[in-house]
Amino acid sequence: MIERCFILSFREKKTRRVVALTEKMVVEGGAGDGEWEGRWNHIQKFLERPGPFTHPDFEASSESLQFMLETCKVLIIGAGGLGCELLKDVALSGFHNIHVVDMDTIDLSNLNRQFLFRLKDVGQPKAEVAADFINTRIPGCCVVPHFKKIQDFDETFYRQFHIIVCGLDSVIARRWMNGMLLSLLVYEDGVVDPSSIIPLIDGGTEGFKGNARVILPGITACIDCTLELYPPQINFPMCTIASMPRLPEHCVEYVRMLLWPKDKPFGDTVGLDGDDPEHIKWVYQRSLERAAEFSITGVTYRLTQGVVKRIIPAVASTNAVIAAACATEVFKIASSAYAPLNNYMVFNDVDGLYTYTFEAERKDNCSACSQVPLDMRFSSSSTLQEVLDYLTESSYLQMKSPAITASVEGKNKTLYLQTVASIEQRTRPNLSKTLKELGLADGQELAVADVTTPQTMLFRLSFTS
């Protein structure tokens, strides 16, 4: 019922904005702003006539196409392998007002699958090159690039968009974006206002596997509701790397983290560049020596480069399939012509072709979207270090560098903050103290901030006997 209210609300907003605009381009016939006769015939067939698969509340008209061409603003986050496909698909589907955010520059290794880039573009910002390519190639399209981190923008920036699409390779960035959209929701008597919902369409690929999902913040399962579906990023313990290596990856990490800063093979100011063959060759040779010392096999040049660059295997055709699925959902939501995906699609062509959809369920106690403090059960004799370990190791929290604060004796007190060196040094002794020694009581609320979300999360301590 709420989802239907969202669709109706989206359509009402769309209609109001279309009516308020004067016609700037000729949709059928004419030659305004790069338009030509019959350009959008294929899309008009979906929007201007009903059919057996259209949404029950769909009303065929020409206004939907006008809304897509002139008004609807889409934000695409990421301009890599998946992002390039998304930009192309969304632009060719009739969306002319697109923004793209990406903080990376183009590497030589990107060119085999990120088809909007050429050799001359190496070293340039991905967002700017991709936007220029689309704007030049597709008449009437206006892609606005942002060579920044998603964290560099505030609520005002994100609130302007009708739909947001993620083509990211980072779970942290996904969670942050998820938290931002949840923070934009408006609640009335505990019920989310459908007009404050900005749909999030998320795609992800790894090798021959991929997934696409549609998230209606505050209504359907969010990123954090299904966090256990994302494998945690592999980080090897420093003690293992330094003294007890068992895998070829341990040998490469030893050279990357310890030998390179110590030996400075290319000068004091030269950092390790994963795209420099000479750098990778040096790391590879030192890794072979380390592996031989501990009788470890499997160190190769390709493995070395993969570990150094944290490469996620990518297949261009998988990116194309997932991007097409995401772009289709953008079209369905913007036009209100068809029911959106409900709400998770899995694609796998490792052995043959396998795909299925299922409804990921929203968690009542989700740390991001439940709107209630989460219970945290510990003994009063537990240390703050144990709480920190729980926040980082829990499969449904997976925090990276949590900062913990609490109200103690009427004053807001920082118990531990890792990201600022001076405060970390001052609060480090608290890690070995018990919760009772820190002045915390049963039922105490802890406020936890982390890079995975723009919001501060609340936890309620529940002491066990």
Side-chain angles (χ1 to χ4, degrees), residues 118-384:
R118 301 295 182 266
L119 187 59
K120 63 180 177 60
D121 301 321
V122 171
Q124 300 300 310
K126 288 184 177 181
E128 295 177 4
V129 175
D132 183 65
F133 191 105
I134 295 294
N135 291 337
T136 302
R137 192 69 176 268
I138 303 178
C141 193
C142 178
V143 180
V144 180
H146 303 277
F147 178 42
K148 294 183 178 181
K149 299 179 181 179
I150 57 175
Q151 294 87 348
D152 292 338
F153 299 98
D154 60 12
E155 293 182 355
T156 303
F157 174 78
Y158 291 109
R159 205 184 298 273
Q160 67 179 303
F161 297 102
H162 296 88
I163 302 171
I164 295 178
V165 193
C166 285
L168 295 163
D169 59 3
S170 166
V171 177
I172 294 178
R174 281 187 175 92
R175 296 179 66 186
W176 192 94
M177 195 65 247
N178 178 71
M180 171 55 72
L181 295 185
L182 289 170
S183 73
L184 300 180
L185 296 177
V186 176
Y187 287 86
E188 297 178 359
D189 298 326
V191 179
V192 64
D193 179 0
S195 65
S196 67
I197 297 172
I198 301 176
L200 175 65
I201 299 172
D202 179 55
T205 66
E206 181 173 348
F208 292 98
K209 300 177 183 179
N211 66 80
R213 64 188 302 185
V214 173
I215 297 171
L216 303 180
I219 297 179
T220 63
C222 73
I223 295 289
D224 282 44
C225 285
T226 57
L227 194 56
E228 62 272 10
L229 295 179
Y230 298 97
Q233 183 172 330
I234 298 174
N235 291 303
F236 302 112
M238 182 59 71
C239 58
T240 300
I241 295 171
S243 58
M244 298 180 295
R246 299 184 300 276
L247 301 173
E249 291 85 354
H250 293 164
C251 302
V252 179
E253 284 287 86
Y254 174 83
V255 177
R256 183 183 73 87
M257 299 179 65
L258 300 176
L259 281 193
W260 183 280
K262 176 184 175 183
D263 294 353
K264 301 180 177 63
F266 294 87
D268 293 345
T269 60
V270 180
L272 178 56
D273 183 354
D275 290 307
D276 190 320
E278 293 301 318
H279 289 197
I280 297 298
K281 183 179 179 181
W282 187 89
V283 175
Y284 169 54
Q285 292 172 343
R286 300 291 88 74
S287 301
L288 281 176
E289 295 170 5
R290 177 76 170 172
E293 182 182 350
F294 289 88
S295 302
I296 297 173
T297 60
V299 174
T300 64
Y301 183 92
R302 184 169 183 174
L303 174 77
T304 301
Q305 189 175 42
V307 173
V308 169
K309 296 186 64 177
R310 293 290 195 267
I311 291 175
I312 297 175
V315 176
S317 56
T318 308
N319 286 334
V321 169
I322 298 303
C326 291
T328 300
E329 296 307 315
V330 174
F331 177 84
K332 288 157 65 176
I333 291 176
S335 67
S336 303
Y338 300 86
L341 174 70
N342 186 29
N343 51 33
Y344 202 113
M345 186 272 284
V346 174
F347 173 82
N348 187 338
D349 62 347
V350 173
D351 184 13
L353 179 62
Y354 176 65
T355 183
Y356 72 100
T357 61
F358 67 94
E359 181 181 359
E361 296 184 359
R362 188 178 177 190
K363 277 187 175 179
D364 293 334
N365 63 341
C366 174
S367 58
C369 69
S370 64
Q371 299 292 307
V372 295
L374 300 182
D375 285 330
M376 186 186 291
R377 300 179 64 83
F378 283 96
S379 166
S380 60
S381 60
S382 299
T383 64
L384 188 63

Side-chain angles (χ1 to χ4, degrees), residues 14 18 25-28 35 38-48 58-72 91-97 331 334-337:
K14 176 182 69 178
V18 170
M25 60 178 69
V26 181
V27 176
E28 290 186 86
E35 298 300 317
R39 181 179 182 185
W40 304 111
N41 282 351
H42 60 298
I43 292 180
Q44 288 172 300
K45 291 177 182 178
F46 291 100
L47 302 180
E48 297 183 6
F58 174 65
E59 296 178 4
S61 72
S62 61
E63 291 183 350
S64 291
L65 177 58
Q66 190 176 350
F67 169 74
M68 289 166 51
L69 291 172
E70 300 182 5
T71 310
C72 187
L92 290 174
S93 296
F95 296 90
H96 280 177
N97 298 305
F331 177 84
S335 67
S336 303

Side-chain angles (χ1 to χ4, degrees), residues 375-391 404-409 413 415-416 429-448 459-465:
D375 285 330
M376 186 186 291
R377 300 179 64 83
F378 283 96
S379 166
S380 60
S381 60
S382 299
T383 64
L384 188 63
Q385 180 66 61
E386 292 178 65
V387 175
L388 192 71
D389 292 341
Y390 168 76
L391 294 173
I404 308 173
T405 60
S407 178
V408 180
E409 297 179 352
K413 181 179 179 181
L415 301 180
Y416 185 68
N430 288 340
L431 294 176
S432 59
K433 294 181 180 180
T434 66
L435 302 182
K436 184 177 181 181
E437 290 172 339
L438 291 170
L440 303 179
D442 186 44
Q444 178 98 43
E445 285 193 355
L446 299 180
V448 181
F459 294 84
R460 183 186 297 109
L461 276 177
S462 179
F463 283 166
T464 58
S465 55

